[in-house]
Amino acid sequence: MSRVAKKLSLPAVTSYLIVGLLLGPFALGRLNLPGLGFQTHEQVENFSILSRTALGFIAFAIGNEFRLSQLKVMGRQAITVGILQAVVTTALVDAALIALHLVAPHVLSLPTAITLGAIAAATAPAATLMVVKQYKANGPLTKLLLLVVAIDDAVGLMLFSASFGIAQALEQGSISVTAVVLEPIIEIVLSLGLGALIGFLLYWVERFFHSRSKRLSISVAFVMLAVGLSMTEFQIGSVHCGFSLLLVCMMTGTLFCNICNFSEELMERVDRWTAPLSILFFVISGAEMDLRILSNPVVLLIGLIYIVARSLGKCGGANLSCRATKCSPHITNYLGITLLPQAGVALGMAQVSVILAEGAVIRNVVLFSVLVYELVGPLLTKWALTKAGEIQPEGKTNARIANKSQG
């Protein structure tokens, strides 16, 4: 399928998602032949630990971009763009969906509109990183993109926690300062702290080994440890405490890469080891897509408004913040397009939202948007990076080799 995708000038990640759809309950799975595809979504969900593990390695790789040398050059721009584009996106989606609520309150409730607005801020790092790796994209836009995608997770978590707390308050008639303010801050602090500890321990253990295979095995083990520990949840009084998988693993990669003098070679080895895991992640993601939502006109209406408003928010917010930080024209014009993919983080937020009265609507709208963004997003990311001159057009020569020689 990746060969077919290449013939059609599509990113390989798109072909993996399509394979997942074909293996899912709405294609080969409907044949009910044992061992051929997934017959139910429950069967797909049994592989969720593989998806979480793959996301952990993706976040670990993104943490490698937060090197101090890189942050000195682009740190201020990345933080400004990362925060502003997320806030603008949430505000725009909120405005569009609240307007729909005012026009047709029976179609969409106010708590649902506010929650969907916050979910819109989330960007999927997996699809973006996969495109960057496949085409060996390199340049100012690529470097800023990877930093912004990482920051976006922390900002999105704060926006969602606050908005979800307000949505619950509107339904219940009372607001919890703990849920809106305290819990998201605690989650971010705990995640960064745990990630830093694991990153330091990884470096400390690696020093005792010189074999490449042993160092690789230790790195893989520590990332898996980070994934496992990030699933821990506990209560301190009335405060619910948990961890963000992406933040924990990103911080692990960030600290390790900044204190370890042999981290670059090791990161390349880990990247090669995890390539099949990343492919499996997208195949499972494709199989998880629920095509039944396409038969619900209400979900399609809300979903289309959500997608249009979110796309305008990401592109407009990125453009505005890039102009404010005096980014180059290529970055200003194309960064927003590369931030469109949305998947795992948004689905996780939607899953949390099911306790709301219209939780099922939120989940289905997000599923619909993921279906669209995951199939179209990688292609748009490739197009934007190519227009910015950071991916060489593929012809008879190998674009990967060409880009690598330029880097």
Side-chain angles (χ1 to χ4, degrees):
M1 286 297 290
S2 65
R3 294 301 87 189
V4 173
K6 186 176 181 180
K7 292 290 185 183
L8 299 173
S9 298
L10 295 172
V13 63
T14 303
S15 68
Y16 305 147
L17 289 163
I18 292 173
V19 166
L21 276 172
L22 294 175
L23 290 174
F26 301 97
L28 294 176
R30 295 185 72 90
L31 300 176
N32 291 319
L33 296 175
L36 183 63
F38 300 96
Q39 277 78 51
T40 65
H41 277 99
E42 287 71 24
Q43 291 180 358
V44 184
E45 289 171 3
N46 289 335
F47 290 85
S48 61
I49 187 61
L50 292 177
S51 297
R52 291 184 66 87
T53 303
L55 270 177
F57 280 101
I58 289 164
F60 182 67
I62 290 177
N64 186 42
E65 301 300 321
F66 280 87
R67 293 181 180 271
L68 289 177
S69 57
Q70 187 68 26
L71 289 175
K72 288 177 181 177
V73 177
M74 308 185 81
R76 185 178 67 86
Q77 286 181 333
I79 293 171
T80 302
V81 175
I83 294 174
L84 193 55
Q85 58 82 25
V87 172
V88 169
T89 301
T90 295
L92 203 57
V93 175
D94 273 343
L97 293 180
I98 290 173
L100 176 62
H101 163 72
L102 295 175
V103 173
H106 61 284
V107 173
L108 184 71
S109 69
L110 186 58
T112 301
I114 293 172
T115 304
L116 282 170
I119 294 175
T123 298
T128 302
L129 189 63
M130 199 75 167
V131 173
V132 168
K133 287 181 177 179
Q134 179 186 353
Y135 296 104
K136 293 292 187 292
N138 188 31
L141 173 58
T142 303
K143 289 182 171 65
L144 182 61
L145 167 63
L146 294 176
L147 291 173
V148 169
V149 166
I151 293 168
D152 187 84
D153 184 51
V155 179
L157 176 64
M158 290 287 290
L159 290 171
F160 174 74
S161 298
S163 297
F164 184 59
I166 293 170
Q168 283 184 302
L170 289 172
E171 285 194 351
Q172 299 169 5
S174 62
I175 190 165
S176 170
V177 177
T178 299
V180 174
V181 179
L182 190 59
E183 288 184 0
I185 293 175
I186 290 175
E187 182 171 334
I188 291 172
V189 172
L190 286 177
S191 299
L192 295 178
L194 178 61
L197 176 62
I198 296 173
F200 176 78
L201 290 175
L202 171 58
Y203 167 66
W204 184 76
V205 172
E206 293 279 21
R207 293 184 307 147
F208 294 102
F209 299 89
H210 301 285
S211 164
R212 291 179 177 178
S213 61
K214 284 188 173 62
R215 281 182 168 174
L216 173 61
S217 299
I218 292 165
S219 299
V220 170
F222 268 82
V223 176
M224 288 184 173
L225 174 65
V227 171
L229 291 176
S230 70
M231 297 167 68
T232 306
E233 296 182 0
F234 55 94
Q235 290 279 140
I236 299 179
S238 62
V239 180
H240 175 266
C241 300
F243 300 92
S244 164
L245 166 67
L246 291 178
L247 287 181
V248 170
C249 294
M250 276 192 287
M251 191 60 186
T252 299
T254 298
L255 191 81
F256 175 69
C257 292
N258 278 290
I259 64 176
C260 179
N261 56 6
F262 52 83
S263 63
E264 286 199 40
E265 180 192 356
L266 195 51
M267 291 297 290
E268 288 181 7
R269 290 181 170 276
V270 172
D271 183 47
R272 287 197 292 270
W273 185 89
T274 57
L277 187 61
S278 297
I279 293 173
L280 189 57
F281 167 78
F282 288 106
V283 172
I284 293 172
S285 297
E288 286 177 333
M289 294 180 183
D290 191 343
L291 299 185
R292 288 173 298 186
I293 58 175
L294 298 178
S295 62
N296 188 331
V298 173
V299 170
L300 293 180
L301 171 64
I302 300 171
L304 286 173
I305 294 173
Y306 174 91
I307 289 170
V308 171
R310 181 180 181 272
S311 301
L312 291 174
K314 285 291 180 184
C315 294
N319 188 285
L320 178 66
S321 52
C322 284
R323 290 179 186 276
T325 53
K326 296 181 172 56
C327 293
S328 68
H330 277 153
I331 294 176
T332 302
N333 293 335
Y334 298 113
L335 178 64
I337 297 172
T338 63
L339 296 173
L340 291 179
Q342 189 174 46
V345 178
L347 288 173
M349 293 176 177
Q351 192 61 40
V352 173
S353 306
V354 295
I355 64 173
L356 295 176
E358 293 186 357
V361 174
I362 295 173
R363 185 176 183 276
N364 287 336
V365 169
V366 173
L367 280 170
F368 174 58
S369 74
V370 166
L371 177 64
V372 174
Y373 279 126
E374 284 298 90
L375 293 175
V376 178
L379 179 61
L380 292 176
T381 299
K382 177 197 172 186
W383 175 83
L385 292 173
T386 302
K387 293 291 287 183
E390 299 189 9
I391 291 179
Q392 296 302 312
E394 288 190 299
K396 293 184 179 180
T397 58
N398 192 313
R400 300 176 185 176
I401 297 174
N403 279 322
K404 194 167 184 179
S405 64
Q406 284 187 359

